Amino acid sequence: MIIDKLFKRVESASPICVGLDTDISYIPDFLKEEYDSISDLVFEFNKRVIDSTKNYVAIYKLQIAYYEALGLEGLDAYSRTLKYLRDENLLSIGDIKRGDIAATGDMYAKAHFTGDFEADFITVNPYMGFDTISPYLPYMLNNDKGIFVLLKTSNEGAADIEDLETEKEKKVYEHVGDYLAELSAGYMGICGYSSIGMVVGATHPEDAESIRGRYPDNFFLVPGYGAQGGKGSDIKKYMRENNGAIINSSRGILKATLGKEVTRENFGSFFEKAVLDMKEDLEG
Amino acid sequence: MIIDKLFKRVESASPICVGLDTDISYIPDFLKEEYDSISDLVFEFNKRVIDSTKNYVAIYKLQIAYYEALGLEGLDAYSRTLKYLRDENLLSIGDIKRGDIAATGDMYAKAHFTGDFEADFITVNPYMGFDTISPYLPYMLNNDKGIFVLLKTSNEGAADIEDLETEKEKKVYEHVGDYLAELSAGYMGICGYSSIGMVVGATHPEDAESIRGRYPDNFFLVPGYGAQGGKGSDIKKYMRENNGAIINSSRGILKATLGKEVTRENFGSFFEKAVLDMKEDLEG
């Protein structure tokens, strides 16, 4: 099960998930002078971030919106980055937040668990109902894939829908979570977690312990650390015995070279230091 | 406002939205023998569907999942089809169901309202909260774009989340709708509808009149006609004075040639007939 590989990476490296939300403005000039095509430029930047951080990182998450915004060339870079991670025996999340039903859901599953855009995990949006989850399940067993379903996200707007209290004395996100928890049993790894994971934002430390307690079998993907306000000292609340969660940082890593004297030689060291600083903050 | 263009198309042509959910299996052999690349094949099929139906159709909707499932080549066909519609002065919906926040939401807006994947309208998923809507608003005013937000979808799973009754005596989809209705005032066309539309499935005729009455200013994109069970005789309930809604059919049109004696000459006539049959069913 893919979740066992993730569990081991958290154990041996760290719970850090590096978010490759690559914006052209994060890329140093010397690299821009070297590559003419957007695809080459973005891929080469990602490759250097990966190469210089891979020993301290559990998994890499690609936010597909950044690549879509660069058009066909951007998606070429997305595809090449996922392939590079696979070739290097590293784990990947396609942060695609897709959610659709029936034949359309099947197409998204095929699109992101096979072919040009194949990732180990993807993120899934459950708004349309639980038939948005089912298209991914066969791939989890047959192709060793996993999902992280949006539960309680890190943004302020999480209160608008996810936190609504329903007449069944459950919040909307608890309806989603309780359904997933029940479904999880069929997709358990030997590590004690299911390949059905949940997205739980780092900006809700007051709820973290109760969510962790309610869903002990589910791995959490935790966005919102750093720039959005999530604190390293709260992260333990999302974990169980120092595992069971991955903590995402995107801009905190990718923007590490901005405002620095960057050269071809020292370039990677800024990303390495940013990840090591984050590791220390999480462990502190 | 883009919504005025759509209103006029419904008035002059029909409320039909043709869903270009193009699967390779829908494409006749003679066309497959002619084109080597997936991008050419899918684009040429779409082009023929468009050419033979454009006089009777309000708008074309591209379900991006089908194109993503074909990888980079598929997205090239997606991009070319949108460009062809624009060149032909026809309207398009990118059925992308994206929903994300802050910088990521901005990237989705940029991706699908400009550049390679530019469409006139896109579909939006509100699960993460109302900050998933705001990234699209500037484009609506500055680039003359529109959105259709998922409200109450056509699938069975619509009951799982969208229909949940909250303690405020509103269903989840009503929370979404009421927010959108309030927001709509700033984006009104002269036709009396807002460029902020709603997705309301054709499979809920029992609720259609109350939803129509509650949101008089919003155009509805209505999926679920035909294969999913939505009936032509119910469609008036989603409209107001024979306008204000577009009714999607995908497989009902695209599969029109399957099992028929198809030649280069008669190919387009099957799509034309399927659309005219649907027009009659809706008007009947």
Side-chain angles (χ1 to χ4, degrees):
Chain A
M1 281 278 189
I2 192 74
I3 200 70
D4 294 317
K5 290 183 196 153
L6 182 57
F7 182 91
K8 277 186 201 146
R9 286 293 301 176
V10 171
E11 204 170 48
S12 66
S14 81
I16 295 173
C17 171
V18 171
L20 295 169
D21 306 7
T22 304
D23 190 274
I24 300 291
S25 68
Y26 305 162
I27 304 181
D29 288 337
F30 83 85
L31 212 59
K32 284 181 185 158
E33 282 157 18
E34 219 162 308
Y35 296 99
D36 284 336
S37 91
I38 295 283
S39 168
D40 286 347
L41 180 63
V42 170
F43 172 65
E44 292 294 337
F45 177 82
N46 285 350
K47 188 170 172 301
R48 282 163 177 74
V49 173
I50 294 164
D51 290 344
S52 57
T53 58
K54 63 185 175 186
N55 293 333
Y56 321 111
V57 162
I59 193 164
Y60 293 86
K61 178 169 83 62
L62 281 76
Q63 171 49 261
I64 199 170
Y66 281 77
Y67 301 86
E68 290 184 17
L70 297 171
L72 290 162
E73 285 248 15
L75 285 163
D76 191 55
Y78 179 82
S79 174
R80 291 165 72 187
T81 305
L82 286 173
K83 189 168 182 315
Y84 183 70
L85 289 167
R86 204 153 52 248
D87 290 346
E88 293 286 301
N89 209 17
L90 298 167
L91 294 173
S92 62
I93 303 173
D95 192 356
I96 61 173
K97 298 190 180 70
R98 304 302 194 247
D100 216 310
I101 51 145
T104 306
D106 292 342
M107 288 293 159
Y108 276 134
K110 184 182 167 208
H112 297 280
F113 281 154
T114 72
D116 286 344
F117 308 129
E118 180 180 351
D120 294 313
F121 293 86
I122 58 169
T123 55
V124 174
N125 184 318
Y127 176 76
M128 288 178 72
F130 300 141
D131 39 8
T132 58
I133 311 294
S134 43
Y136 304 108
L137 301 177
Y139 289 88
M140 294 176 60
L141 296 177
N142 302 331
N143 301 49
D144 198 19
K145 300 299 181 186
I147 58 176
F148 285 98
V149 181
L150 298 182
L151 201 73
K152 188 174 162 72
T153 51
S154 58
N155 55 315
E156 276 190 32
D160 297 329
I161 308 287
E162 299 167 14
D163 278 352
L164 285 174
E165 192 76 52
T166 69
E167 60 173 3
K168 290 172 188 161
E169 288 176 16
K170 277 185 192 185
K171 291 176 191 288
V172 167
Y173 80 79
E174 291 170 330
H175 280 272
V176 176
D178 290 359
Y179 172 79
L180 296 174
E182 204 173 310
L183 191 65
S184 293
Y187 305 87
M188 294 296 291
I190 53 171
C191 64
Y193 289 97
S194 171
S195 289
I196 297 177
M198 301 169 173
V199 177
V200 182
T203 48
H204 315 290
E206 69 287 1
D207 300 320
E209 281 164 344
S210 77
I211 299 176
R212 179 73 279 176
R214 190 171 180 122
Y215 307 120
D217 298 342
N218 299 91
F219 230 91
F220 292 169
L221 164 58
V222 183
Y225 169 84
Q228 281 182 61
K231 291 193 178 63
S233 53
D234 285 324
I235 291 304
K236 291 272 183 298
K237 298 177 186 168
Y238 296 82
M239 306 184 82
R240 177 154 71 76
E241 293 165 18
N242 293 314
N243 210 315
I246 42 175
I247 318 303
N248 184 71
S249 178
S250 302
R251 280 166 285 179
I253 313 292
L254 299 190
K255 291 171 84 167
T257 68
L258 299 189
K260 304 282 168 58
E261 287 279 342
V262 187
T263 64
R264 178 177 319 284
E265 289 68 36
N266 72 9
F267 182 37
S269 68
F270 293 103
F271 306 119
E272 184 180 15
K273 181 171 184 308
V275 167
L276 288 173
D277 286 350
M278 178 174 171
K279 192 164 187 273
E280 198 181 308
D281 183 45
L282 296 181
E283 287 167 357
Chain B
M1 280 273 190
I2 191 74
I3 200 70
D4 294 317
K5 292 184 195 153
L6 182 58
F7 182 90
K8 278 186 202 148
R9 287 291 302 172
V10 171
E11 205 170 46
S12 65
S14 82
I16 295 175
C17 170
V18 170
L20 294 169
D21 307 8
T22 305
D23 191 273
I24 300 291
S25 68
Y26 305 161
I27 303 180
D29 288 338
F30 84 84
L31 212 59
K32 285 181 185 158
E33 282 156 18
E34 218 162 306
Y35 296 100
D36 284 337
S37 90
I38 294 281
S39 168
D40 286 346
L41 180 62
V42 170
F43 171 65
E44 292 295 337
F45 177 82
N46 286 350
K47 188 170 171 304
R48 281 162 178 74
V49 174
I50 295 164
D51 290 344
S52 57
T53 58
K54 62 185 174 188
N55 294 332
Y56 322 111
V57 162
I59 193 165
Y60 293 87
K61 177 169 84 64
L62 281 77
Q63 172 46 262
I64 199 170
Y66 281 76
Y67 300 86
E68 291 185 17
L70 297 171
L72 291 162
E73 286 247 16
L75 285 163
D76 190 53
Y78 179 82
S79 174
R80 290 165 72 187
T81 305
L82 286 172
K83 188 169 181 318
Y84 183 70
L85 289 167
R86 203 156 49 246
D87 290 347
E88 293 287 300
N89 210 15
L90 298 166
L91 295 173
S92 61
I93 303 174
D95 192 357
I96 60 172
K97 296 189 180 72
R98 304 303 194 249
D100 216 311
I101 52 148
T104 306
D106 292 340
M107 289 293 159
Y108 277 134
K110 183 182 168 206
H112 297 280
F113 281 152
T114 73
D116 286 344
F117 309 128
E118 180 179 352
D120 294 312
F121 293 87
I122 58 168
T123 56
V124 175
N125 184 318
Y127 176 76
M128 289 177 73
F130 300 140
D131 40 8
T132 60
I133 311 295
S134 42
Y136 304 108
L137 301 178
Y139 289 87
M140 294 175 60
L141 297 178
N142 301 331
N143 301 51
D144 198 21
K145 300 300 182 185
I147 60 176
F148 285 99
V149 181
L150 298 181
L151 200 73
K152 185 173 164 75
T153 52
S154 59
N155 55 316
E156 277 191 33
D160 297 329
I161 309 289
E162 298 166 14
D163 278 351
L164 286 174
E165 193 74 52
T166 69
E167 61 173 2
K168 289 170 190 162
E169 288 174 17
K170 277 187 194 183
K171 291 179 193 285
V172 166
Y173 80 79
E174 292 169 331
H175 280 273
V176 176
D178 291 357
Y179 171 79
L180 295 174
E182 203 172 314
L183 193 63
S184 292
Y187 306 88
M188 293 298 289
I190 54 169
C191 64
Y193 290 96
S194 171
S195 288
I196 297 177
M198 302 171 172
V199 177
V200 182
T203 50
H204 316 290
E206 71 285 1
D207 299 321
E209 281 164 343
S210 77
I211 299 176
R212 179 71 283 173
R214 191 172 180 121
Y215 307 120
D217 298 341
N218 299 92
F219 229 90
F220 292 170
L221 164 58
V222 183
Y225 169 83
Q228 283 181 61
K231 291 191 178 65
S233 53
D234 286 324
I235 291 306
K236 292 273 183 296
K237 299 178 185 166
Y238 296 83
M239 305 183 83
R240 176 154 71 77
E241 293 164 21
N242 294 312
N243 211 315
I246 43 175
I247 318 302
N248 184 69
S249 178
S250 303
R251 279 167 286 179
I253 313 293
L254 299 191
K255 291 171 84 168
T257 70
L258 299 188
K260 305 281 168 56
E261 289 279 343
V262 187
T263 64
R264 178 178 318 283
E265 288 68 36
N266 72 8
F267 182 38
S269 68
F270 294 102
F271 305 120
E272 184 181 15
K273 181 174 185 308
V275 167
L276 287 173
D277 286 351
M278 178 173 171
K279 191 163 186 277
E280 197 181 311
D281 184 44
L282 296 182
E283 287 167 357

